[in-house]
Structures are given as structure tokens and as C-alpha cells.
């Protein structure tokens, strides 16, 4: 994306320029190519690969969903992932700097990415805290969620009966999740702190801060473990899971195609959304990571490799989950395979229940939650880079205090994240997960696509990539960026908006008496928060566009005014700013053009003291 000097000198107001950004004197770099690949894989492969993808696969036709997901990965995922990698590597800036470079009017795209990253980081680290809570409880035998609690306090017979009834109606793992881990309330309107979970959240932020303390130099080294360890665990679980009774039944369900689901627009929306979030598009983290690369790194190969690894990881995790849940369905009196188990429930209810039936269950439980912890941390490192890198690149004062700024971000995240460790905190996690990221990120990626394909120019962008790689990528990317990907993203945005409009926003609450989930509508104040999250995350794009447009208009107006003036000897700066009378060669204030000496002799410009000084100078 380099510009020649002649292009910069001839650029009009609003056109991008490298001079708009302060170039860092010495930009950090990855210790090795392996560190970089592991960082990108670690960010893109997250908790959603373990619990969301398997659930969607089961609910939407098994093998048919896999084919649909792979198709959309080719249409949306890889082209847009390649676009972000190439943009970050070419300009060597965070998300704010990249889009400001393309056009100052588009700087809001980068700021919107930072806002969304901040929202996601707040609640994502809470899930890491949940994993820590379960990991610490895995050191007990038997596991504390293996059996319903036995209460012998006869002075509280009513309470004892309620507990026993709730646990009996649901299950021991469900009771432990809602009553021990979350200590959940009946609705989002109750507020009371869950102190054990607060301690886990503090520890989670300490781990993140420790990994981010020295930027990519520390987080890159951590990636060697946090990105590789989950694969070791997944393969261990796959081998163990295939030996369980009923595991093959689960695998069969996974690969049984139900192609009729392709006629359901909602299935397309869910598959596209999963592709979108699986690769981390729009967060700015992909751009931030690639900005630390050598300019001639083969980012095209990286885009295909990371996308393929991400897809195969989802397949591997789904095989594990379906094998374990096939065993669970076979073992628990033919209960519905995944009924009522979605999202976090897949890990903290269904999986934990299956592990209680494993030999040496504490070992497998510890291994599983260590895997979740590492998946979460590697993604959190990417989220934090998506926040910190653009701000450091854009604000010199922050760059001088990089370590302090990183610590400040973690402390701020901890204090703000306390809202999620209330007893009603899981409801806020659902709210942020469902609404604070989905729509804003789709909008961000649409503008990214438009910025590169139409504002900067797809052909010009391809030329820049050719300059980096030494060869020109497949021309199909150009048409993907210009037409297909944009139309697909607009369709996804419209589908998401229609879905939100036709159904009132609700959340799943836990009813103690019924020992079951219950749909409740968000109260008015919660709806206000929900709408504010979407608006706040999207607002930087139009706000900074309008701000830069006004600045450009004022600049062009000043240029026009100065251009209308005729500079000549005897005109002062103030005179130039006045209008020129037609047909009369005058200065802008109406005075005739005359020589300075004549004006001095007439006393028009010089005071008496000045005349003396002028005379002395002449002598």
C-alpha cells in the first residue's frame, strides 16, 4: 500500500497518506515464523470450536452443516482473512493505522474494532475464570459434581428438601453449575457478588497481564504451550472417547447429512456467523499480529494454512464432543442427545457429566479444563493485542509507556468485569455474547471490505500484495472482495437484523423451583444497555467519517479562499483574505498596488518611529 511521492503531493483532501501516521522508530517482530503461526492459530481457535461448533453441527443437519460451513469458509472466510493479513503486513500498523492509511475518513473502522474487542475481552475472561473454578475443584475425588449434595442439617429441613428436589429434577452436574459455580439468581435484575468466582476472575486477569507484560515477546513464547497443549488434550480425549460405549452412535449422527436444512435461511446465517467468529474477522487482532511480520512474509500461505487448521480443529473437537455425548446419551437412559445443552452448558454440564463416568475422572476433568484455560488464554492474548496495538501505534504518548498502559488495560478490564461475577453475571455474559459483538463486527468487516476493494482499489491492493510476495495472488480474490464477499456480508447483516426485529430479545434464566431453564424478556433497562452496546461499538465509524469530512471541507474552503487571492508586492496577509474587486488590480482590502517605499512616504504603512528606524537602516 505504498504511495509514491508524486501521488502524495497530488493527493486531494481525504486521501490516505503514510505521512498521516507516525512511523514507529523500531517495531517489535516475532521471534520466529512458528511463533506467529501459533499466535494466529491460538487466537482463531477458541472456546467456540469446542462447544458452539459441535452444537450447531448437531442442530443443523450434521454432515450437511459441515459442507455448508466449508463452502462459506471459501466464500467469506479465507478471502477476508487474507485481506486482513495482507493489510496489516503491508502497512505495519494496528487496525486504526491501517484504515487511517487507506483514508483518514475510515479511521473509525479501527476504533470500532477496538471497542468490540474490549467488550469481548470483558466477558471472555469471565469464561476463563469459570474454567479455573472447575479446574481447582477437579482435585477432589469423587468430583464434587458427581453426586447431589447430602445435607444433614435438620434445622433447615425446608432448604434441604428444596436442594434435593432441584438436584433430583435436573442432575448433579447441572445443580453444581447453577448453584455452586454460578450461585445463580432467578433473573437478571438481582445483584449480589459471587466471591469465589470473583477470585477466579482476578486470577484470570493476572494470567492475561503476565502473558501480555512485554508485548509479543512474552505472549509469543507463551503461545508455544497455550496453542499446542489443547491439541494434545483433544487427541487424548478422542482416543479415550472412541473406546466408550455409544461413541460410534455419536460419530454417526455427526456425519449423517440432512441436506434439506440448506433451504433454511437461518442455518446459512448461523454457519456464516460461525465462520466469521471462528477466524476472528473484524476484531483487529489478525491485523495487529500480522503487522509484526516481515514485509515479504508469505501472508497468502498463512491465510490458507490458519483457515485450514481452524476448520480441522473444529472437526476434531466435534468428533470428541459427539463421541463423549454419544456415550452420555447411551448411558443416561436414552435422554435426548443434546437437549437443552448449548454454549457454555456443553462444557460445564454435558461434558462434566460424561467425565464422571470415566475411570480416574479427576484426571480427565483436570485435563479438560486445562485445555479450556489454554484455549481461552490464547484467544484473550489476541483480543488484548487487538486493543493495545492500534492505540500504541496511533498515540505516541501511550507508546512511551507501553508496559504501564498494558497493566492499566488489565486493571480496567478486571474492575469493569466485576459485573459478570455477580450472581446474575452469567445473564450479562449472554447479553454481551449475543449482542455486543455480532452486529458491530459484521458492520466493521463490511466497511473493511469496501475500504480495500473500492476506496483503495482491488487492483491496487493486488499490486501491493505482488510487491510483498513476489507473485500475484489468484485473480478470484479480486472479485471475491469486490462483489461476492460484500454481498454475502450484507446478506448476513440483514438476516441478523430481521431476526432481532421479529423476536423480542430474551435470555435463559434458571428457575430453582422447576429446576429448568426459562425464557425471560430483558427488562427495559437491560434493553437500554443492549442497544447502547450495539450503538457504542458502531458509532466510531460514522462519527469519525463525519468529523474528517467536515475537516476536509474546511480545508478545501481555506484552500479555495487563498487560491482566489492574487499575491503581489504590498499586500499584507490580512489584505489577501478579502475579496478581489473585478477589473481593478487592487489588494484585497481595496488599496491600489504600489511599491512599499511609496506607501512609506505617504505614511500608509509605517508609523513615525518606524520611519526613523527605516531611515537609519537606509543610511
Amino acid at each position: 500500500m505504498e504511495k509514491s511521492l508524486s501521488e502524495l503531493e497530488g493527493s486531494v483532501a481525504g486521501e490516505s497518506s503514510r505521512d498521516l501516521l507516525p512511523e514507529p522508530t523500531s517495531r517489535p517482530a516475532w521471534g520466529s515464523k512458528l511463533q506467529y503461526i501459533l499466535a494466529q492459530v491460538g487466537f482463531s481457535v477458541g472456546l467456540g470450536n469446542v462447544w458452539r461448533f459441535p452444537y450447531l453441527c448437531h442442530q443443523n443437519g450434521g454432515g450437511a452443516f459441515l459442507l455448508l460451513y466449508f463452502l462459506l469458509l471459501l466464500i467469506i472466510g479465507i478471502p477476508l482473512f487474507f485481506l486482513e493479513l495482507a493489510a496489516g503486513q503491508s502497512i505495519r500498523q494496528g487496525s486504526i493505522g491501517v484504515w487511517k492509511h487507506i483514508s483518514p475518513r475510515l479511521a473509525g473502522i479501527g476504533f470500532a474494532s477496538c471497542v468490540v474487542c474490549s467488550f469481548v475481552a470483558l466477558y471472555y475472561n469471565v469464561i476463563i475464570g469459570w474454567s479455573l473454578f472447575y479446574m481447582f475443584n477437579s482435585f477432589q475425588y469423587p468430583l464434587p459434581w458427581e453426586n447431589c449434595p447430602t445435607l444433614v442439617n435438620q434445622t433447615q429441613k425446608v432448604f434441604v428438601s428444596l436442594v434435593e428436589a432441584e438436584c433430583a429434577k435436573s442432575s448433579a452436574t447441572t445443580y453444581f453449575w447453577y448453584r455452586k459455580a454460578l450461585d445463580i439468581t432467578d433473573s437478571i435484575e438481582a445483584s449480589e457478588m459471587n466471591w469465589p468466582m470473583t477470585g477466579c476472575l482476578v486470577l484470570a486477569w493476572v494470567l492475561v497481564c503476565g502473558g501480555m507484560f512485554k508485548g509479543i515477546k512474552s505472549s509469543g513464547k507463551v503461545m508455544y504451550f497455550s496453542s499446542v497443549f489443547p491439541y494434545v488434550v483433544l487427541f487424548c480425549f478422542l482416543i479415550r472417547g472412541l473406546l466408550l460405549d455409544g461413541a460410534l452412535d455419536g460419530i454417526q449422527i455427526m456425519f449423517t447429512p440432512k441436506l434439506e436444512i440448506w433451504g433454511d435461511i437461518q442455518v446459512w446465517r448461523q454457519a456464516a456467523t460461525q465462520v466469521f467468529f471462528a477466524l476472528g474477522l473484524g476484531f483487529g487482532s489478525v491485523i495487529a499480529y500480522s503487522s509484526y511480520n516481515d514485509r515479504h512474509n508469505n501472508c497468502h500461505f498463512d491465510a490458507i494454512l490458519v483457515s485450514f487448521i481452524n476448520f480441522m480443529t473444529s472437526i476434531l473437537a466435534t468428533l470428541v464432543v459427539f463421541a463423549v455425548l454419544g456415550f452420555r446419551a447411551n448411558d443416561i437412559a436414552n435422554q435426548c442427545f443434546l437437549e437443552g445443552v448449548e454454549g457454555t452448558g456443553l462444557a460445564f454440564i454435558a461434558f462434566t457429566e460424561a467425565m464422571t463416568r470415566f475411570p480416574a475422572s479427576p484426571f480427565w476433568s483436570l485435563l479438560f479444563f486445562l485445555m479450556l484455560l489454554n484455549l481461552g488464554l490464547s484467544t484473550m492474548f489476541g483480543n488484548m493485542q487487538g486493543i493495545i496495538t492500534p492505540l500504541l501505534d496511533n498515540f505516541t504518548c501511550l507508546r512511551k509507556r507501553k508496559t504501564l498502559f498494558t497493566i492499566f488495560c488489565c486493571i480496567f478490564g478486571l474492575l469493569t468485569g466485576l459485573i459478570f461475577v455477580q450472581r446474575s453475571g452469567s445473564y450479562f455474559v449472554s447479553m454481551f455474547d449475543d449482542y455486543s459483538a455480532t452486529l458491530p463486527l459484521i458492520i466493521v468487516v463490511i466497511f473493511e471490505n469496501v475500504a480495500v476493494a473500492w476506496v483503495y482499489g482491488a487492483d491496487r491492493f493486488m499490486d501491493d500484495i505482488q510487491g510483498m510476495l513476489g507473485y500475484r495472488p489468484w485473480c478470484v480474490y479480486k472479485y471475491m472482495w469486490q462483489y461476492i464477499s460484500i454481498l454475502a456480508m450484507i446478506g448476513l447483516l440483514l438476516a441478523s437484523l430481521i431476526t432481532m426485529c421479529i423476536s423480542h430479545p430474551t435470555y435463559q434464566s434458571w428457575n430453582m423451583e422447576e429446576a429448568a431453564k426459562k425464557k425471560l424478556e430483558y427488562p427495559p433497562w437491560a434493553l437500554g444497555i443492549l442497544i447502547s452496546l450495539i450503538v457504542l461499538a458502531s458509532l466510531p465509524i460514522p462519527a469519525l467519517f463525519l468529523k474528517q469530512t467536515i475537516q476536509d471541507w474546511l480545508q478545501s474552503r481555506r484552500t479555495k479562499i487563498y487560491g482566489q487571492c492574487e499575491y503581489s508586492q504590498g499586500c499584507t496577509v490580512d489584505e489577501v483574505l478579502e475579496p478581489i474587486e473585478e477589473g481593478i488590480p487592487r489588494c484585497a482590502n481595496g488599496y491600489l498596488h504600489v511599491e512599499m517605499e511609496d506607501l512609506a512616504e505617504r505614511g500608509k504603512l509605517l508609523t513615525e518611529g518606524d520611519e526613523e528606524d527605516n531611515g537609519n537602516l537606509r543610511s
Side-chain angles (χ1 to χ4, degrees):
M1 290 190 179
E2 302 290 342
K3 288 189 174 185
S4 65
L5 180 61
S6 59
E7 287 178 306
L8 292 178
E9 291 174 345
S11 63
V12 297
E15 193 175 356
S16 62
S17 169
R18 288 187 66 85
D19 294 336
L20 293 169
L21 294 170
E23 190 70 23
T25 54
S26 60
R27 190 169 186 81
W30 294 103
S32 65
K33 179 65 177 282
L34 180 60
Q35 271 190 17
Y36 166 68
I37 294 297
L38 290 177
Q40 289 286 18
V41 170
F43 171 68
S44 64
V45 175
L47 299 174
N49 296 76
V50 175
W51 59 47
R52 180 170 172 77
F53 187 90
Y55 173 80
L56 290 175
C57 186
H58 174 261
Q59 290 297 105
N60 298 311
F65 182 82
L66 292 177
L67 292 174
L68 181 59
Y69 178 87
F70 184 72
L71 174 65
L72 293 176
L73 182 67
L74 297 178
I75 296 175
I76 299 177
I78 294 178
L80 295 179
F81 191 63
F82 179 36
L83 182 148
E84 290 197 358
L85 287 180
Q89 182 173 306
S90 174
I91 302 174
R92 294 179 64 79
Q93 292 281 328
S95 56
I96 297 174
V98 164
W99 308 116
K100 183 183 284 188
H101 173 90
I102 289 179
S103 172
R105 298 184 184 185
L106 299 178
I109 299 175
F111 282 100
S113 294
C114 286
V115 174
V116 175
C117 258
S118 301
F119 289 160
V120 173
L122 289 177
Y123 75 82
Y124 206 90
N125 222 22
V126 175
I127 301 176
I128 295 177
W130 294 346
S131 301
L132 286 169
F133 180 85
Y134 269 83
M135 187 180 72
F136 294 147
N137 279 276
S138 297
F139 288 97
Q140 304 178 43
Y141 185 81
L143 292 170
W145 54 83
E146 187 168 339
N147 301 301
C148 286
T150 303
L151 301 175
V152 294
N153 190 344
Q154 298 301 318
T155 61
Q156 298 180 337
K157 291 184 179 180
V158 175
F159 176 75
V160 171
S161 61
L162 287 175
V163 168
E164 291 176 347
E166 183 180 7
C167 190
K169 288 180 181 178
S170 53
S171 67
T173 51
T174 303
Y175 177 85
F176 185 88
W177 167 239
Y178 286 113
R179 287 294 162 214
K180 295 296 183 181
L182 300 180
D183 192 17
I184 201 165
T185 58
D186 290 339
S187 73
I188 196 174
E189 299 188 72
S191 60
E192 185 179 340
M193 294 303 295
N194 181 343
W195 294 111
M197 202 59 73
T198 302
C200 292
L201 179 64
V202 172
L203 179 56
W205 275 110
V206 169
L207 292 174
V208 171
C209 189
M212 295 292 301
F213 192 75
K214 293 185 178 180
I216 63 167
K217 290 184 179 179
S218 58
S219 62
K221 293 177 181 177
V222 173
M223 290 296 176
Y224 282 121
F225 179 78
S226 63
S227 296
V228 174
F229 180 73
Y231 290 96
V232 176
V233 177
L234 283 175
F235 276 111
C236 289
F237 267 99
L238 179 61
I239 296 171
R240 181 68 185 89
L242 291 175
L243 298 177
L244 298 172
D245 292 335
L248 294 180
D249 295 334
I251 301 298
Q252 184 179 1
I253 291 176
M254 173 182 171
F255 287 107
T256 301
K258 299 178 182 177
L259 296 179
E260 61 271 13
I261 61 101
W262 283 33
D264 187 352
I265 189 64
Q266 291 304 319
V267 175
W268 285 79
R269 184 184 69 84
Q270 290 178 342
T273 303
Q274 181 62 20
V275 169
F276 186 79
F277 282 101
L279 294 176
L281 300 175
F283 283 92
S285 304
V286 173
I287 293 175
Y289 276 158
S290 64
S291 71
Y292 297 113
N293 271 334
D294 178 77
R295 180 172 170 77
H296 299 291
N297 173 65
N298 192 341
C299 55
H300 181 223
F301 172 79
D302 296 343
I304 296 175
L305 176 64
V306 174
S307 300
F308 178 76
I309 291 175
N310 185 287
F311 178 65
M312 295 309 296
T313 304
S314 296
I315 298 292
L316 174 61
T318 304
L319 282 170
V320 173
V321 169
F322 272 66
V324 171
L325 293 178
F327 162 70
R328 174 179 179 263
N330 184 71
D331 187 58
I332 309 175
N334 296 321
Q335 292 182 6
C336 276
F337 191 64
L338 283 175
E339 183 180 0
V341 179
E342 179 180 3
T344 54
L346 186 59
F348 295 106
I349 297 177
F351 231 100
T352 53
E353 186 170 321
M355 283 185 293
T356 60
R357 292 164 174 78
F358 283 13
S361 56
F363 167 77
W364 292 103
S365 178
L366 180 62
L367 207 59
F368 177 73
F369 288 108
L370 270 174
M371 179 190 72
L372 291 189
L373 176 63
N374 280 274
L375 285 172
L377 285 176
S378 58
T379 302
M380 269 299 297
F381 293 148
N383 281 333
M384 295 301 292
Q385 286 290 356
I387 301 167
I388 293 173
T389 298
L391 295 177
L392 292 178
D393 289 341
N394 200 64
F395 300 104
T396 308
C397 58
L398 297 179
R399 201 181 312 143
K400 294 177 181 178
R401 300 171 178 83
K402 182 177 180 180
T403 302
L404 288 176
F405 180 64
T406 301
I407 295 173
F408 170 79
C409 287
C410 292
I411 293 175
F412 179 80
L414 169 61
L415 296 177
T416 310
L418 292 177
I419 188 177
F420 300 105
V421 287
Q422 302 177 96
R423 293 181 60 199
S424 58
S426 64
Y427 302 140
F428 287 94
V429 170
S430 299
M431 177 196 294
F432 273 66
D433 189 33
D434 292 338
Y435 299 103
S436 70
T438 306
L439 284 179
L441 277 180
I442 296 173
I443 294 171
V444 165
V445 175
I446 290 175
F447 276 97
E448 286 183 357
N449 204 162
V450 171
V452 169
W454 296 102
V455 177
Y456 189 80
D459 287 320
R460 188 178 177 187
F461 189 58
M462 294 285 279
D463 292 339
D464 293 337
I465 296 174
Q466 183 176 3
M468 290 193 300
L469 306 184
Y471 68 90
R472 198 173 186 84
W474 305 322
C475 62
V476 68
Y477 284 116
K478 170 186 171 182
Y479 301 106
M480 287 286 188
W481 293 330
Q482 286 184 317
Y483 305 107
I484 299 176
S485 296
I486 291 180
L487 292 176
M489 295 304 298
I490 292 175
L492 177 59
L493 177 62
L494 292 176
S496 300
L497 286 172
I498 292 172
T499 302
M500 287 184 62
C501 292
I502 62 177
S503 59
H504 191 283
T506 60
Y507 66 98
Q508 296 276 0
S509 71
W510 177 256
N511 187 284
M512 180 178 178
E513 295 181 357
E514 298 178 7
K517 289 182 179 179
K518 187 177 182 180
K519 274 191 177 183
L520 294 179
E521 293 185 351
Y522 284 108
W525 62 267
L527 283 176
I529 295 176
L530 186 152
I531 295 171
S532 299
L533 292 173
I534 297 174
V535 172
L536 185 61
S538 307
L539 187 61
I541 298 176
L544 291 183
F545 181 87
L546 182 61
K547 174 179 175 289
Q548 187 63 42
T549 301
I550 294 173
Q551 287 181 348
D552 292 344
W553 179 77
L554 292 174
Q555 179 65 33
S556 63
R557 183 174 175 81
R558 283 194 294 268
T559 304
K560 184 178 180 182
I561 291 173
Y562 279 105
Q564 289 176 345
C565 296
E566 181 182 349
Y567 288 90
S568 60
Q569 193 174 11
C571 291
T572 64
V573 175
D574 292 334
E575 292 167 346
V576 174
L577 296 176
E578 300 295 332
I580 301 174
E581 295 183 20
E582 266 189 340
I584 304 176
R586 297 174 181 268
C587 285
N589 62 1
Y591 290 118
L592 293 170
H593 290 283
V594 289
E595 296 298 325
M596 290 293 290
E597 290 81 3
D598 294 337
L599 289 174
E601 289 174 2
R602 297 175 188 178
K604 298 295 184 182
L605 292 178
L606 300 176
T607 63
E608 294 179 359
D610 294 332
E611 289 178 359
E612 281 185 357
D613 294 338
N614 194 39
N616 293 333
L617 288 171
R618 288 185 180 182
S619 64

